[in-house]
Amino acid sequence: MNNKFSQKYKQALLLRHLIWAIAAFVGFATGYLVIKVVWADQFYIMLKGMIGYNLAYVIHNYEPAVILLIFVTTQLLIWIGIEWNASRKVMKIMDRLDYFLDNSNNEITLPAEFSELQNWLNLVKAQNRERQHFMELEIQKKSDSLAYLAHDIRTPLASVVGYLSLLCEAPDMQPEQQKKFIKTAFEKALKFENLIDEFFDITRYSLSGKAIVKKEVDLCFLIEQTADEFYPLLQQKELHLSLDLPDLLFVLAEAEKIARVFNNVIKNAITYSYPQSTIDIAVQNANEQAVVCIKNRGETIPADKLERIFDKFYRTEEAGISGNSGAGLGLAIAKEIMRMHDGTITAESCDETTVFTVTLPILSKGSEA
């Protein structure tokens, strides 16, 4: 972009030099002709009266050389004037760079011939200001999420410590009471473990800087394995998981990261499903794309919240109140992983049915891992 503006400015400067040189030549030639035609007899008499006989005599004897000297001197002065004016405008641009680096709303103003550069700098400045604002919001959300987690972690940890303390202090406790306390302490410990996982998700969120190693992966087998890990959670909510998978469907991916995508989406579906409902997972080959649909029955997600569901650290008010939501990173991480694999993840929600659709390029013959 800088080359584009500098090239245009060089062309404008050269054109200005040329125009002024031609104008000076035409003006000088016109003046000389007027003198020769109108004042040919009186010119040197007038000149002698102005600068003296000796100097007028020299000019008269060396007229061609004097004319050339005057013309060259005139061109030199014009060149100096144009370059000085150009340097002054360049220095003005340098002075305005301070405005480009700050985050204020003050617009950069440049000389008229730099209007295109001015518009571009103001556009870049506005984009930088918006990016800076976005980063500040993201940092604030991250801080808020850490604060939420720090607060939420205290409750299950205190419960675990409390119930274990009761068990230690009352060794002769009734077996039924002991069993109840152990079960409660175990459930709180699981909750504590989930919160710690969310904490690590926040602190190590950035995935874009890490290289991925893609290999041939049987997508259906991976989904089946991932789904099996949720058996205890499904039992707790009396949910049924229905799988509709083809025999084989290979993709080029990093298995661990793709498994994390489905882990996050299935976990989300379990969290927000109605009890005793069914979660459907279907995989099909559509135009050389592996399309995975994960559908669950639950409250319809409003359109305004559906647009933000993949935003980092986004937590709905309802989820925050109920305690169902984590740090708001699960789906954001899933979207980032899909971007790294040239895939997509989208969500739709209507009539108390939410569908997450994940697409990945199918491994074609001859592809290398």
Side-chain angles (χ1 to χ4, degrees):
M1 203 68 180
N2 290 335
N3 290 336
K4 174 184 175 183
F5 294 127
S6 63
Q7 189 65 28
K8 283 188 174 181
Y9 182 64
K10 286 177 183 177
Q11 292 173 356
L13 202 59
L14 288 173
L15 181 61
R16 191 170 303 156
H17 276 289
L18 181 61
I19 291 172
W20 275 100
I22 294 173
F25 176 77
V26 171
F28 188 82
T30 303
Y32 181 74
L33 289 174
V34 169
I35 290 171
K36 284 294 184 181
V37 174
V38 179
W39 294 333
D41 298 330
Q42 290 89 9
F43 177 72
Y44 282 104
I45 297 173
M46 293 170 55
L47 193 63
K48 183 177 69 172
M50 295 172 58
I51 62 175
Y53 173 79
N54 293 331
L55 195 54
Y57 179 77
V58 171
I59 294 174
H60 182 269
N61 288 338
Y62 299 97
E63 185 176 308
V66 172
I67 292 173
L68 180 61
L69 177 63
I70 294 173
F71 178 72
V72 170
T73 303
T74 304
Q75 294 293 342
L76 179 62
L77 291 174
I78 289 174
W79 181 83
I80 292 174
I82 292 175
E83 290 298 323
W84 175 83
N85 187 54
S87 299
R88 185 175 58 84
K89 292 179 178 179
V90 170
M91 292 306 297
K92 189 175 182 180
I93 293 174
M94 298 297 292
D95 293 338
R96 291 295 186 275
L97 288 181
D98 289 339
Y99 295 99
F100 178 71
L101 297 175
D102 64 25
N103 289 321
S104 67
N105 292 322
N106 299 328
E107 289 196 350
I108 300 169
T109 55
L110 301 178
E113 57 263 48
F114 296 99
S115 59
E116 191 174 348
L117 177 61
Q118 173 184 300
N119 295 335
W120 180 75
L121 288 175
N122 283 321
L123 175 62
V124 173
K125 182 179 179 181
Q127 291 174 342
N128 288 340
R129 189 167 60 245
E130 184 178 349
R131 192 178 297 111
Q132 180 67 26
H133 179 65
F134 178 78
M135 290 176 63
E136 290 173 357
L137 288 177
E138 188 171 306
I139 291 172
Q140 183 60 46
K141 288 179 181 179
K142 185 174 181 177
S143 299
D144 291 343
S145 297
L146 287 172
Y148 297 149
L149 279 176
H151 177 269
D152 292 344
I153 283 173
R154 292 174 186 164
T155 304
L157 181 61
S159 297
V160 171
V161 172
Y163 281 110
L164 292 179
S165 297
L166 289 174
L167 289 170
C168 292
E169 292 170 1
D172 55 346
M173 185 183 295
Q174 294 294 326
E176 291 184 1
Q177 191 72 6
Q178 278 187 342
K179 185 177 180 181
K180 180 180 178 181
F181 283 5
I182 291 172
K183 181 181 178 182
T184 304
F186 177 70
E187 290 173 352
K188 298 296 181 182
L190 290 178
K191 176 65 175 175
F192 180 71
E193 181 184 32
N194 289 334
L195 291 171
I196 292 296
D197 289 340
E198 294 287 349
F199 175 82
F200 279 111
D201 277 342
I202 292 176
T203 57
R204 64 185 181 189
Y205 169 73
S206 180
L207 295 168
S208 57
K210 299 179 181 179
I212 59 174
V213 181
K214 297 180 181 180
K215 296 182 179 179
E216 184 178 324
V217 176
D218 184 350
L219 185 63
C220 299
F221 181 69
L222 183 144
I223 292 174
E224 193 171 3
Q225 277 189 319
T226 304
D228 286 342
E229 297 173 3
F230 287 98
Y231 180 78
L233 289 178
L234 294 166
Q235 292 298 307
Q236 288 178 14
K237 292 189 68 172
E238 300 181 13
L239 297 172
H240 175 66
L241 189 64
S242 174
L243 299 177
D244 182 11
L245 310 175
D247 293 334
L248 294 172
L249 191 60
F250 290 97
V251 295
L252 194 63
E254 185 170 325
E256 182 181 350
K257 284 186 169 58
I258 292 298
R260 191 176 184 188
V261 171
F262 293 114
N263 184 289
N264 291 347
V265 176
I266 295 172
K267 183 179 180 181
N268 184 82
I270 292 173
T271 300
Y272 295 103
S273 287
Y274 291 141
Q276 300 178 343
S277 62
T278 300
I279 297 174
D280 297 301
I281 301 178
V283 180
Q284 60 179 336
N285 181 345
N287 298 324
E288 299 303 317
Q289 294 280 325
V291 181
V292 184
C293 294
I294 302 172
K295 179 170 66 176
N296 70 285
R297 294 277 297 168
E299 291 186 13
T300 302
I301 304 173
D304 59 329
K305 294 176 182 176
L306 196 65
E307 292 177 355
R308 301 179 57 196
I309 201 169
F310 294 104
D311 291 352
K312 290 177 281 188
F313 307 112
Y314 177 68
R315 291 158 48 117
T316 61
E317 291 85 352
E318 297 82 355
I321 294 172
S322 65
N324 288 333
S325 176
L329 272 176
L331 295 178
I333 290 173
K335 184 176 181 179
E336 178 67 12
I337 292 173
M338 294 310 300
R339 183 193 66 79
M340 295 165 65
H341 285 79
D342 301 320
T344 62
I345 178 169
T346 58
E348 299 177 358
S349 186
C350 63
D351 299 330
E352 298 185 318
T353 299
T354 299
V355 181
F356 283 87
T357 304
V358 177
T359 64
L360 272 170
I362 292 176
L363 180 65
S364 58
K365 293 181 180 181
S367 296
E368 295 181 1

